[in-house]
Amino acid sequence: MRFQTKAIKLGISFITLLVILSCDSSKDDNRDHLVFRYNEQYQISTLDPAFARNPSIIWPVNQLFNGLVQLDNNLNVVPDIAKSWTISDDALTYSFILRDDVYFHKHEAFKNNDSTRAVKSKDFVYSFDRLTDPQIASPGSWVLSNVDRYIAKNDSVFEITLKKPFPAYLGLLSMRYCSVVPEEVVSYYGSNFRSHPIGTGPFKFKKWEEGVKLVFRKNELYYERDENGVQLPYLEAVAITFLPDKQSEFLQFAQGNIDFLNSLDPSYKDELLTASGSLREKYIDKVNLVKNPHLNTEYIGFYLDSSTPEVQSKLIRKAINYGFDRTKMITYLRNGIGQPAVHGFIPKGLPGYSKINGYTYDPTKARNLIKQYIQESGDTNPELTIGTNSQYLDICEYIQRELQKVGLNISIDVMPPSTLRQMKSSGDLDAFRASWIADYPDAENYLSLFYSENFTPNGPNYTHFKSEAFDNLYERSLGMTDINNRKELYYKMDSLIISEAPIIPLYYDEIIRFTQKTISGFTPNAQNFLVLKRVKKEKLEN
């Protein structure tokens, strides 16, 4: 009965959603094909870029806001509101020259006849002040932790001075935390700015029925144009739904009610894909499939401050790394999507990635390491519990079965994603399934997870790994502007992590996007950003 009740609720929710969408489109049915529709599985709590900490928030916020710089599809830093910039010889001072044709979305808080105004340098001062304001408590405040000062030299020149050189800083400024917001509108709404966002992006906020539907409309003031001089975006609107069930989401995609799927869920992966990762024949004429490397390493981490002997033992940690076949896991559980993580923690596509000797499947070595642990510890029944959410249960169960064969008992604790995040951050899990998606395109972002100054909850070092040798290498790399010199240190740090085994690298992820045949211009990128300003949608012929 529980399943039936849930299904009925989902059905009612979607019927309600269809009614809302049809009411919107009834005003202009001829333009309904210019509405891009997607589903967000997770509920979002804010549209304020100061809180854009995960993809479910970053995706919609990316449509509404701009920053100084942005990343192109090859992860190169390119101009956004800043049309150019210079960096001082000591790599500490960044001077940005702003465009004069970027306007905020219209709002009555702008006390003028146009209900808008151009972005000026002082707006970045205000926006950065918000990030560091303790009363705002932005999770993005760390972006400015290495900043000594930032000032508006005049209306069009914004200057940032760092405390010490940080070669990846331009890439870091592309994060949505660094978006510009207007003081007038933030003051007008106070904390309710979260649900009444005003930015400069290609789309503007229209309405939000929390938990049901979010709608953006085309920003008629947007500054960017395509190579032919046509103003972006091409779409008229974006409509986001919030069906929590992945199978229901797939059914709506199959029926043409949403325009794309961004993940491969166990509930429908075999329906869409063959074991080799190709589209099944019945979908070839209906669906576009695009794969792209993703700057995301999936892994299992050990909380090294745990008192559990198995966690403290490098023998056990290495035994787990050797004890399962990553290639088979990718083939049968991921339908060939992703690459086995048999090298380091740094994923392919970043400077510093190298085919170092990681862990490959070797059950004999795993069994011998466990035997050695038993002999040295006297513990005849070693066991470990891994925390995960339901989406990765199949992978954890596969590891569980394989390790049982070599003498290690694994228990699996399944919990909601929010609980997993909280327990992982607070050190309440001996081992946990996790992933790290690049915040900015530099390998330093991955290696920061093992720097001892970054222990959670004040940083991303969830494992509480600590190594003086690693810390020295990490700190040296921060002072190097030459990428080739940094790559040498990145290689050494990554090798050290593999040697000490505070983690179990599982696979280097791939982005997989399924779109309707009516969609074009939807180019993937290695950070899996949702960029809709160049997307086109053709009218479906009846």
Side-chain angles (χ1 to χ4, degrees), residues 308-325:
T308 302
E310 288 86 346
V311 173
Q312 292 295 319
S313 172
K314 192 190 303 186
L315 297 172
I316 292 294
R317 301 198 303 267
K318 286 191 170 185
I320 298 175
N321 268 294
Y322 284 119
F324 65 99
D325 189 334

Side-chain angles (χ1 to χ4, degrees), residues 382-442:
E383 56 186 0
L384 186 71
T385 298
I386 299 174
T388 186
N389 59 32
S390 59
Q391 186 176 356
Y392 294 88
L393 178 59
D394 56 345
I395 287 177
C396 290
E397 287 179 336
Y398 168 73
I399 294 171
Q400 179 187 48
R401 290 192 298 270
E402 294 302 295
L403 289 172
Q404 190 173 26
K405 297 175 185 177
V406 297
L408 181 62
N409 293 319
I410 298 290
S411 298
I412 302 172
D413 189 1
V414 182
M415 59 195 72
S418 58
T419 303
L420 179 63
R421 286 193 296 270
Q422 190 277 324
M423 295 185 71
K424 179 179 68 173
S425 296
S426 57
D428 293 327
L429 298 171
D430 284 343
F432 48 86
R433 206 289 315 166
S435 58
W436 189 256
I437 302 172
D439 292 315
Y440 46 91
D442 193 285

Side-chain angles (χ1 to χ4, degrees), residues 296-303 321 324 326 329 341 344-346 386-388 392 395-396 399 420 424 431-437 445-446 448-450 456 460-464 497-498 501-509:
N296 174 29
T297 300
E298 299 282 343
Y299 69 100
I300 292 173
F302 298 100
Y303 181 63
N321 268 294
F324 65 99
R326 291 166 173 82
M329 177 184 74
F345 187 66
I346 300 171
I386 299 174
T388 186
Y392 294 88
I395 287 177
C396 290
I399 294 171
L420 179 63
K424 179 179 68 173
F432 48 86
R433 206 289 315 166
S435 58
W436 189 256
I437 302 172
N445 190 222
Y446 283 81
S448 68
L449 270 69
F450 307 102
T456 52
N461 188 341
Y462 298 102
T463 63
H464 281 207
I497 291 301
I498 294 304
I503 57 167
I504 306 165
L506 298 175
Y507 59 92
Y508 312 119
D509 204 3

Side-chain angles (χ1 to χ4, degrees), residues 94-154:
Y94 294 68
S95 295
F96 298 91
I97 310 300
L98 306 190
R99 301 177 64 102
D100 60 5
D101 59 351
V102 180
Y103 289 84
F104 288 110
H105 304 152
K106 290 187 176 183
H107 193 275
E108 62 182 314
F110 299 112
K111 304 297 184 180
N112 57 48
N113 293 333
D114 296 326
S115 298
T116 184
R117 65 170 176 81
V119 173
K120 300 183 184 302
S121 297
K122 67 177 183 180
D123 295 311
F124 279 99
V125 173
Y126 172 74
S127 301
F128 282 25
D129 283 347
R130 289 186 78 230
L131 285 184
T132 56
D133 185 343
Q135 292 187 330
I136 300 295
S138 167
S141 60
W142 63 271
V143 172
L144 300 178
S145 61
N146 186 38
V147 172
D148 182 49
R149 66 186 180 100
Y150 46 86
I151 59 172
K153 303 283 284 188
N154 54 47

